[in-house]
Tab-separated table of all heavy atoms in Angstrom:
chain	number	residue	atom	x	y	z
A	196	ILE	N	-3.249	152.679	149.437
A	196	ILE	CA	-4.212	153.566	150.084
A	196	ILE	C	-3.708	153.929	151.487
A	196	ILE	O	-2.780	153.302	151.996
A	196	ILE	CB	-5.601	152.898	150.176
A	196	ILE	CG1	-5.510	151.574	150.959
A	196	ILE	CG2	-6.163	152.660	148.780
A	196	ILE	CD1	-6.850	151.020	151.344
A	197	THR	N	-4.336	154.922	152.103
A	197	THR	CA	-3.886	155.393	153.417
A	197	THR	C	-4.520	154.614	154.565
A	197	THR	O	-3.896	154.395	155.598
A	197	THR	CB	-4.238	156.892	153.576
A	197	THR	OG1	-3.549	157.594	152.552
A	197	THR	CG2	-3.850	157.433	154.928
A	198	ALA	N	-5.788	154.231	154.396
A	198	ALA	CA	-6.506	153.617	155.520
A	198	ALA	C	-7.590	152.674	155.027
A	198	ALA	O	-8.110	152.832	153.913
A	198	ALA	CB	-7.145	154.709	156.385
A	199	ILE	N	-7.916	151.693	155.874
A	199	ILE	CA	-9.077	150.820	155.631
A	199	ILE	C	-10.048	151.018	156.781
A	199	ILE	O	-9.646	151.033	157.939
A	199	ILE	CB	-8.662	149.330	155.579
A	199	ILE	CG1	-7.768	149.054	154.374
A	199	ILE	CG2	-9.898	148.428	155.525
A	199	ILE	CD1	-7.260	147.609	154.279
A	200	ASP	N	-11.336	151.164	156.435
A	200	ASP	CA	-12.406	151.123	157.439
A	200	ASP	C	-13.114	149.783	157.235
A	200	ASP	O	-13.774	149.581	156.206
A	200	ASP	CB	-13.365	152.298	157.213
A	200	ASP	CG	-14.571	152.262	158.161
A	200	ASP	OD1	-14.792	151.236	158.830
A	200	ASP	OD2	-15.298	153.277	158.204
A	201	VAL	N	-12.991	148.882	158.226
A	201	VAL	CA	-13.472	147.507	158.033
A	201	VAL	C	-14.994	147.422	157.911
A	201	VAL	O	-15.525	146.454	157.387
A	201	VAL	CB	-12.996	146.559	159.162
A	201	VAL	CG1	-11.487	146.580	159.275
A	201	VAL	CG2	-13.652	146.883	160.503
A	202	SER	N	-15.695	148.379	158.436
A	202	SER	CA	-17.166	148.436	158.421
A	202	SER	C	-17.826	147.052	158.362
A	202	SER	O	-18.367	146.633	157.339
A	202	SER	CB	-17.653	149.321	157.272
A	202	SER	OG	-18.931	149.802	157.618
A	203	GLY	N	-17.808	146.390	159.483
A	203	GLY	CA	-18.218	144.992	159.549
A	203	GLY	C	-19.691	144.757	159.802
A	203	GLY	O	-20.498	145.692	159.955
A	204	PHE	N	-20.030	143.465	159.867
A	204	PHE	CA	-21.402	143.008	160.096
A	204	PHE	C	-21.783	143.173	161.574
A	204	PHE	O	-20.933	143.001	162.456
A	204	PHE	CB	-21.475	141.526	159.713
A	204	PHE	CG	-22.813	140.896	159.952
A	204	PHE	CD1	-23.846	141.040	159.042
A	204	PHE	CD2	-23.037	140.152	161.098
A	204	PHE	CE1	-25.082	140.452	159.254
A	204	PHE	CE2	-24.278	139.555	161.324
A	204	PHE	CZ	-25.299	139.709	160.402
A	205	GLY	N	-23.056	143.470	161.796
A	205	GLY	CA	-23.526	143.526	163.179
A	205	GLY	C	-24.285	144.796	163.504
A	205	GLY	O	-24.870	144.925	164.577
A	206	GLY	N	-24.282	145.752	162.583
A	206	GLY	CA	-25.024	146.989	162.813
A	206	GLY	C	-25.985	147.216	161.660
A	206	GLY	O	-26.798	146.334	161.344
A	207	THR	N	-25.879	148.369	161.014
A	207	THR	CA	-26.719	148.637	159.840
A	207	THR	C	-26.522	147.520	158.828
A	207	THR	O	-25.389	147.156	158.513
A	207	THR	CB	-26.320	149.998	159.218
A	207	THR	OG1	-26.489	151.007	160.208
A	207	THR	CG2	-27.177	150.311	158.008
A	208	ASN	N	-27.650	146.984	158.327
A	208	ASN	CA	-27.577	145.820	157.450
A	208	ASN	C	-28.236	146.180	156.110
A	208	ASN	O	-29.460	146.228	156.000
A	208	ASN	CB	-28.292	144.653	158.133
A	208	ASN	CG	-28.197	143.375	157.339
A	208	ASN	OD1	-28.082	143.395	156.112
A	208	ASN	ND2	-28.249	142.257	158.039
A	209	PHE	N	-27.375	146.456	155.113
A	209	PHE	CA	-27.918	146.905	153.832
A	209	PHE	C	-28.645	145.812	153.065
A	209	PHE	O	-29.451	146.117	152.178
A	209	PHE	CB	-26.840	147.582	152.973
A	209	PHE	CG	-26.816	149.056	153.214
A	209	PHE	CD1	-25.925	149.606	154.100
A	209	PHE	CD2	-27.744	149.883	152.595
A	209	PHE	CE1	-25.938	150.972	154.367
A	209	PHE	CE2	-27.776	151.241	152.851
A	209	PHE	CZ	-26.865	151.787	153.728
A	210	ALA	N	-28.409	144.541	153.402
A	210	ALA	CA	-29.196	143.483	152.774
A	210	ALA	C	-30.626	143.562	153.308
A	210	ALA	O	-31.595	143.469	152.546
A	210	ALA	CB	-28.571	142.126	153.059
A	211	ALA	N	-30.763	143.773	154.629
A	211	ALA	CA	-32.104	143.909	155.213
A	211	ALA	C	-32.801	145.146	154.657
A	211	ALA	O	-33.996	145.123	154.339
A	211	ALA	CB	-32.008	143.987	156.741
A	212	ILE	N	-32.038	146.244	154.511
A	212	ILE	CA	-32.625	147.496	154.003
A	212	ILE	C	-33.115	147.305	152.563
A	212	ILE	O	-34.252	147.634	152.222
A	212	ILE	CB	-31.590	148.646	154.082
A	212	ILE	CG1	-31.299	148.992	155.547
A	212	ILE	CG2	-32.068	149.873	153.309
A	212	ILE	CD1	-30.145	149.974	155.753
A	213	GLU	N	-32.263	146.737	151.717
A	213	GLU	CA	-32.645	146.567	150.308
A	213	GLU	C	-33.737	145.514	150.161
A	213	GLU	O	-34.572	145.613	149.263
A	213	GLU	CB	-31.422	146.229	149.442
A	213	GLU	CG	-30.366	147.326	149.385
A	213	GLU	CD	-30.877	148.653	148.822
A	213	GLU	OE1	-31.966	148.695	148.207
A	213	GLU	OE2	-30.183	149.678	149.030
A	214	ASN	N	-33.749	144.499	151.034
A	214	ASN	CA	-34.813	143.494	150.977
A	214	ASN	C	-36.184	144.100	151.250
A	214	ASN	O	-37.198	143.623	150.759
A	214	ASN	CB	-34.527	142.342	151.955
A	214	ASN	CG	-33.714	141.227	151.307
A	214	ASN	OD1	-33.763	141.018	150.089
A	214	ASN	ND2	-32.963	140.494	152.118
A	215	GLU	N	-36.209	145.185	152.043
A	215	GLU	CA	-37.477	145.876	152.303
A	215	GLU	C	-38.047	146.471	151.017
A	215	GLU	O	-39.234	146.744	150.928
A	215	GLU	CB	-37.265	147.030	153.306
A	215	GLU	CG	-36.986	146.590	154.724
A	215	GLU	CD	-38.200	145.991	155.402
A	215	GLU	OE1	-39.291	146.563	155.270
A	215	GLU	OE2	-38.044	144.929	156.044
A	216	ARG	N	-37.157	146.714	150.050
A	216	ARG	CA	-37.580	147.396	148.830
A	216	ARG	C	-37.853	146.425	147.687
A	216	ARG	O	-38.052	146.849	146.558
A	216	ARG	CB	-36.510	148.405	148.413
A	216	ARG	CG	-36.166	149.420	149.491
A	216	ARG	CD	-34.869	150.125	149.172
A	216	ARG	NE	-35.039	151.181	148.192
A	216	ARG	CZ	-34.073	151.607	147.374
A	216	ARG	NH1	-32.888	151.030	147.393
A	216	ARG	NH2	-34.288	152.576	146.526
A	217	ARG	N	-37.766	145.108	147.938
A	217	ARG	CA	-38.012	144.157	146.841
A	217	ARG	C	-39.003	143.082	147.281
A	217	ARG	O	-39.137	142.808	148.475
A	217	ARG	CB	-36.708	143.545	146.336
A	217	ARG	CG	-35.870	142.816	147.400
A	217	ARG	CD	-34.602	142.251	146.793
A	217	ARG	NE	-34.911	141.196	145.850
A	217	ARG	CZ	-34.148	140.870	144.807
A	217	ARG	NH1	-33.024	141.525	144.574
A	217	ARG	NH2	-34.498	139.894	143.999
A	218	SER	N	-39.709	142.459	146.277
A	218	SER	CA	-40.718	141.474	146.660
A	218	SER	C	-40.075	140.106	146.923
A	218	SER	O	-40.387	139.464	147.924
A	218	SER	CB	-41.820	141.379	145.607
A	218	SER	OG	-41.246	141.307	144.333
A	219	ARG	N	-39.169	139.628	146.033
A	219	ARG	CA	-38.495	138.352	146.320
A	219	ARG	C	-37.256	138.647	147.152
A	219	ARG	O	-36.278	139.221	146.670
A	219	ARG	CB	-38.102	137.632	145.021
A	219	ARG	CG	-37.693	136.174	145.267
A	219	ARG	CD	-37.353	135.447	143.984
A	219	ARG	NE	-35.985	135.676	143.507
A	219	ARG	CZ	-34.896	135.095	144.013
A	219	ARG	NH1	-34.995	134.259	145.014
A	219	ARG	NH2	-33.692	135.360	143.505
A	220	LYS	N	-37.303	138.319	148.429
A	220	LYS	CA	-36.215	138.676	149.358
A	220	LYS	C	-35.015	137.757	149.171
A	220	LYS	O	-35.189	136.557	148.968
A	220	LYS	CB	-36.679	138.543	150.818
A	220	LYS	CG	-38.055	139.107	151.101
A	220	LYS	CD	-38.017	140.583	151.315
A	220	LYS	CE	-39.385	141.122	151.694
A	220	LYS	NZ	-39.621	142.467	151.170
A	221	LEU	N	-33.809	138.323	149.267
A	221	LEU	CA	-32.586	137.510	149.259
A	221	LEU	C	-32.148	137.338	150.717
A	221	LEU	O	-31.224	137.990	151.194
A	221	LEU	CB	-31.482	138.183	148.432
A	221	LEU	CG	-31.861	138.601	146.999
A	221	LEU	CD1	-30.625	139.082	146.231
A	221	LEU	CD2	-32.535	137.459	146.234
Side-chain angles (χ1 to χ4, degrees):
I196 58 168
T197 299
I199 294 177
D200 176 348
V201 304
S202 205
F204 177 82
T207 301
N208 184 332
F209 268 96
I212 292 172
E213 296 300 345
N214 270 333
E215 289 289 316
R216 304 164 80 206
R217 57 180 293 152
S218 46
R219 193 178 83 77
K220 316 278 184 214
L221 308 188

